[in-house]
Amino acid sequence: MTIYISLLFGHLILLAFSLNFCRFRLSTQLNKILILLMVIYSYGLAILFVQEWLLLFSLLAIFTATAIYQTIGLLVALPLISFVYFYMNGFELYHFVIFTLSALTVAYLTNQGAAYVRTQNRWKSLLIKNSKQLNVIREISIAMQQTRDLDKVLHIIITSVTAGHGLGFNRALVFLFDKNKDQLSGMMGIGPLNAQEGIDKWRKIAEHKYRLIDLLEIDDEKQIDPQLNQIIKHLTIDLDSDHILKDVLLSGKHRVIYPDKVHDHIHQLLINKFNIDEFLIIPMIYQSTKIGLLILDNPVSKKSITEQEIDNVIPLASLAAVAIQQAQLYQEIEEMTLKDGLTSLYNQRALQNTLQKHFNKQQIEPLAMIMLDIDYFKTYNDTNGHLLGNEVLELLAKAIKDSIRESDLAFRFGGEEFTVLLFNTTNHDVNLIAERIRKSIESTVFPNESSQPGNRLTVTLGYAHTEQISNPSPSRLISAADQALYEGKAAGKNCVNQYRISLQSK
């Protein structure tokens, strides 16, 4: 008998070592099956060789099955093991009560333990998610504090909600509210236009092992999904009719839009433009001021948007609203410092900044400058007073803006002198635009212009092109245009005069 018991325990030890060897290489379910098979094998050996220990092994088999498979294990193992035991030893109520109470106790304790583990895992998962969210918000806050540029702020926002180390949405779109035009303007987006594009981008990010902070530092616009931004930046949505975006903006409440039906024409527009399916709209509001909307979806993973994800992104949307508001205010203040208060044209400081940026590029593109001056303006002021003089400057500024192209920039250089910069244009086109400005001003009706020589108010223009200047620089271009203006004044005024290289020798 001792030999049988020794062999039995030897088998158990061997099986235990084998199971321990396999447990890290197999799934949880396979490990459970192996344990159960080991117990069944041991129970069979006990039946054959050590029936005196059959009660112990019967209890062990019931405990193991119940512990592994809880209620199902109890329902299967208790009657089966009881039948085998009572068949071998005859029915005893005492043993049946022991089997039943022991199995119920193990089942209860196992269920309680499993529930405890599930609760702990749930709290652990929630803690990890909250920690991740706090870390994302911390990194975003730091990044936003380092810039006042609106485009950079928007880039930080959409990157943080789409990055794998961020909040993990596949795509984000930002629309800002323009209260003057009562419309939403598409500003920036990040994410794929289709699933394959998204997979390719994820693969690239994984290969480079980008962290969230790395993605935030990427500020090259060519790397921020140019096709998506080409669409969104040309998209404006009027708020003069009812639709889902207007509803969210006015109510201030987020909304998940499901693909079961098309709600309105704006929903259909988003489907057509972005192949959008289920998506989340979150309003960005700061102190009752409507800032805009954040639209999020998962076109690649097709993952449904959960309440937990919504709870995670809402604080970020609030933080984004504050950052955007501050960036817009800074932009307005910066704009004010670069604008002339009377004419609303850019001022001389803006002119110098623009020229410095242009000439600091590695490859300088063609640039032309027109300088114009009001003829006999001192006579006009002396005759009519400075109030009417200011009105003339306002009307003249409007005539200049109406005469130039959208890509051109107009500046008030100082006093009655104005400047226009023309980018990527030929010398011939500069002459046409300058002449158009001159004729526009000549045909404009100014107050009391009959007091001027010739009974009308006129201007003289001089222009220069970088192609005409050796080693062009801001000062050389200004000097050349000013010299052309001076020559035009000397030639009789109310004319357009071109800078000529021969003038350099004079």
Side-chain angles (χ1 to χ4, degrees), residues 369-371 460-465 468 477-491 495-500 503:
M369 174 182 283
I370 300 173
M371 294 196 77
T460 302
L461 302 91
Y463 69 88
H465 199 285
Q468 302 171 303
L477 182 62
I478 292 174
S479 177
D482 189 58
Q483 190 168 350
L485 172 62
Y486 174 80
E487 293 290 330
K489 286 281 190 181
C495 64
V496 174
N497 191 58
Q498 176 186 351
Y499 171 76
R500 304 185 189 282
L503 293 176

Side-chain angles (χ1 to χ4, degrees), residues 51-160:
Q51 295 184 18
E52 292 83 355
W53 288 45
L54 192 57
L55 177 62
L56 175 62
F57 278 94
S58 297
L59 287 171
L60 176 63
I62 294 173
F63 289 173
T64 305
T66 305
I68 294 175
Y69 293 107
Q70 285 89 44
T71 304
I72 295 176
L74 169 65
L75 295 176
V76 174
L78 180 59
L80 186 61
I81 299 300
S82 298
F83 173 79
V84 173
Y85 179 80
F86 295 135
Y87 179 81
M88 299 288 297
N89 297 279
F91 179 77
E92 291 186 31
L93 181 61
Y94 173 69
H95 286 169
F96 180 74
V97 172
I98 291 176
F99 286 172
T100 304
L101 290 178
S102 300
L104 289 173
T105 301
V106 172
Y108 173 77
L109 294 176
T110 304
N111 281 320
Q112 289 298 311
Y116 175 78
V117 171
R118 286 193 298 270
T119 301
Q120 292 299 310
N121 288 337
R122 186 166 60 250
W123 280 108
K124 181 180 179 181
S125 176
L126 184 60
L127 181 62
I128 291 172
K129 288 181 179 179
N130 289 340
S131 177
K132 177 181 178 180
Q133 182 187 11
L134 289 173
N135 188 57
V136 169
I137 292 178
R138 181 185 65 83
E139 291 189 14
I140 294 169
S141 298
I142 293 173
M144 286 182 176
Q145 290 172 8
Q146 295 174 349
T147 182
R148 293 176 180 173
D149 181 76
L150 180 59
D151 285 342
K152 184 64 177 177
V153 169
L154 295 177
H155 178 214
I156 292 170
I157 295 165
I158 60 177
T159 300
S160 61

Side-chain angles (χ1 to χ4, degrees), residues 363-410:
Q363 184 175 357
I364 300 176
E365 300 171 346
L367 176 65
M369 174 182 283
I370 300 173
M371 294 196 77
L372 63 95
D373 183 81
I374 302 175
D375 298 329
Y376 306 110
F377 192 60
K378 184 178 183 306
T379 302
Y380 184 92
N381 274 335
D382 291 343
T383 305
N384 301 290
H386 290 283
L387 289 179
L388 279 184
N390 288 343
E391 188 175 337
V392 166
L393 294 176
E394 292 181 68
L395 290 171
L396 188 136
K398 184 180 184 305
I400 293 173
K401 285 190 289 186
D402 292 343
S403 302
I404 62 178
R405 304 167 304 180
E406 189 175 342
S407 59
D408 302 329
L409 295 177

Side-chain angles (χ1 to χ4, degrees), residues 195-462:
Q196 186 57 49
E197 182 184 334
I199 292 171
D200 293 340
K201 185 172 183 179
W202 286 352
R203 187 180 294 114
K204 179 181 177 181
I205 291 174
E207 288 174 356
H208 290 83
K209 297 180 180 179
Y210 286 134
R211 301 167 300 161
L212 175 59
I213 192 67
D214 298 324
L215 295 172
L216 293 178
E217 290 174 355
I218 297 175
D219 54 8
D220 184 357
E221 286 191 2
K222 294 181 180 179
Q223 298 181 25
I224 310 177
D225 301 315
Q227 290 183 328
L228 178 67
N229 279 280
Q230 181 68 19
I231 297 173
I232 193 171
K233 288 184 178 180
H234 290 84
L235 188 59
T236 56
I237 298 175
D238 293 325
L239 300 178
D240 53 0
S241 62
D242 293 334
H243 50 75
I244 53 175
L245 299 189
K246 180 180 180 180
D247 176 59
V248 172
L249 185 67
L250 295 182
S251 67
K253 297 179 180 179
H254 68 271
R255 184 175 173 185
V256 179
I257 306 299
Y258 297 100
D260 53 346
K261 65 176 181 179
V262 177
H263 292 76
D264 50 52
H265 66 288
I266 296 300
H267 188 183
Q268 186 63 59
L269 175 68
L270 295 175
I271 293 173
N272 295 338
K273 292 286 187 181
F274 307 106
N275 193 28
I276 204 163
D277 200 1
E278 178 182 332
F279 62 101
L280 169 65
I281 313 172
I282 296 184
M284 293 184 289
I285 298 176
Y286 174 64
Q287 293 183 347
S288 301
T289 301
K290 299 173 181 63
I291 304 299
L293 297 174
L294 183 62
I295 298 179
L296 307 170
D297 71 329
N298 295 311
V300 182
S301 66
K302 303 297 182 182
K303 179 182 175 184
S304 185
I305 298 169
T306 65
E307 287 297 327
Q308 180 64 47
E309 289 173 325
I310 296 174
D311 290 341
N312 289 341
V313 79
I314 284 178
L316 178 59
S318 299
L319 181 64
V322 176
I324 293 172
Q325 174 79 342
Q326 290 178 342
Q328 288 177 327
L329 288 174
Y330 178 79
Q331 198 173 56
E332 291 176 7
I333 294 172
E334 184 73 12
E335 191 81 1
M336 289 173 60
T337 65
L338 298 175
K339 286 287 186 73
D340 176 59
L342 177 64
T343 63
S344 296
L345 297 181
Y346 289 108
N347 57 25
Q348 188 171 159
R349 178 187 175 190
L351 173 65
Q352 295 294 342
N353 290 346
T354 304
L355 290 174
Q356 287 296 335
K357 289 179 181 178
H358 182 85
F359 284 97
N360 282 342
K361 296 178 181 178
Q362 291 183 346
Q363 184 175 357
I364 300 176
E365 300 171 346
L367 176 65
M369 174 182 283
I370 300 173
M371 294 196 77
L372 63 95
D373 183 81
I374 302 175
D375 298 329
Y376 306 110
F377 192 60
K378 184 178 183 306
T379 302
Y380 184 92
N381 274 335
D382 291 343
T383 305
N384 301 290
H386 290 283
L387 289 179
L388 279 184
N390 288 343
E391 188 175 337
V392 166
L393 294 176
E394 292 181 68
L395 290 171
L396 188 136
K398 184 180 184 305
I400 293 173
K401 285 190 289 186
D402 292 343
S403 302
I404 62 178
R405 304 167 304 180
E406 189 175 342
S407 59
D408 302 329
L409 295 177
F411 306 81
R412 184 183 179 189
F413 194 77
E416 69 272 22
E417 199 165 8
F418 296 80
T419 301
V420 177
L421 291 181
L422 304 95
F423 301 89
N424 292 316
T425 189
T426 64
N427 196 63
H428 174 71
D429 288 337
V430 178
N431 185 77
L432 292 178
I433 293 171
E435 186 61 31
R436 186 161 68 231
I437 294 172
R438 188 193 69 79
K439 289 181 178 179
S440 175
I441 293 172
E442 187 178 40
S443 62
T444 299
V445 178
F446 293 96
N448 291 353
E449 65 178 346
S450 59
S451 61
Q452 289 290 93
N455 297 321
R456 59 185 177 181
L457 190 141
T458 61
V459 295
T460 302
L461 302 91

